[in-house]
């Protein structure tokens, strides 16, 4: 089982790199700013557990930005572990379905907390907003699941 955890971490890291590359490419092509939602989510969670992020002004904002990025890495690697453990337990759909499901799981793990905390309301997103979120997560899923499935050979 430990081998599955390690594989999941590695596959999740591959997928997270692909997601970040797709997101940064989208930002570069469209000239859009980075999302503040991860930092806002971290801020709300920290406040909710009684451990607000210290500092003020730019120092605090920079900490939140860094913690937001780290939280994305944690979700990406953690999702890889969950999917790897599911594969270890015998759940092995075809690569395309596994990739789609893995991407959907990561997108849910990211977007649901933001929605529940009132940081973002996916119901009000435009088609462009949905595509900007769904495409990188789909690529994450395909890369993560493909990496895991590649270990079977």
């Amino acid at each position: 089982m430990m081998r599955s955890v390690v594989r999941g971490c590695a596959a999740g890291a591959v997928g997270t790199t692909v997601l970040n590359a797709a997101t940064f490419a989208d930002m570069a092509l469209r000239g859009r700013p980075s999302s503040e939602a991860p930092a806002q989510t971290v801020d709300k969670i920290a406040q909710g557990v009684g451990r607000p992020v210290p500092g003020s002004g730019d120092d605090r904002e920079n900490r939140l930005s860094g913690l937001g990025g780290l939280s994305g890495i944690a979700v990406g690697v953690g999702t890889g572990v969950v999917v790897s453990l599911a594969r270890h337990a015998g759940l092995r759909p075809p690569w395309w379905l596994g990739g789609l499901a893995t991407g959907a799981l990561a997108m849910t793990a990211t977007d649901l907390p933001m929605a529940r905390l009132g940081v973002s309301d996916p119901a009000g997103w435009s088609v462009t907003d949905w595509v900007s979120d769904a495409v990188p997560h789909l690529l994450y899923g395909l890369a993560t699941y493909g990496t895991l499935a590649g270990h079977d050979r």
Side-chain angles (χ1 to χ4, degrees):
M1 175 149 24
M2 187 51 111
R3 182 175 274 178
S4 291
V5 170
V6 172
R7 284 183 180 161
C9 286
V14 168
T16 300
T17 300
V18 169
L19 181 144
N20 286 339
T23 300
F24 295 142
D26 177 49
M27 291 167 57
L29 289 171
R30 293 193 302 136
R32 71 171 181 86
S34 62
S35 174
E36 294 180 19
Q40 292 170 353
T41 302
V42 167
D43 191 24
K44 288 205 173 204
I45 291 171
Q47 288 178 20
V49 298
R51 305 290 290 170
V53 174
S56 62
D58 286 345
D59 287 347
R60 185 170 187 279
E61 293 304 314
N62 292 338
R63 282 189 182 102
L64 287 169
S65 179
L67 289 168
L70 289 171
S71 72
I73 294 169
V75 168
V77 172
T79 300
V81 170
V82 168
V83 173
S84 182
L85 290 173
R87 286 180 55 78
H88 179 77
L91 184 61
R92 294 172 180 246
W95 73 268
W96 62 270
L97 182 57
L100 182 64
T102 301
L105 178 62
M107 189 168 163
T108 301
T110 302
D111 294 347
L112 187 61
M114 285 189 235
R116 298 284 299 231
L117 292 168
V119 170
S120 182
D121 180 12
W125 289 1
S126 69
V127 171
T128 302
D129 294 336
W130 275 103
V131 170
S132 292
D133 196 43
V135 169
H137 282 98
L138 173 61
L139 295 173
Y140 162 87
L142 293 171
T144 300
Y145 197 79
T147 301
L148 289 169
H151 284 288
D152 294 344
R153 296 173 188 190

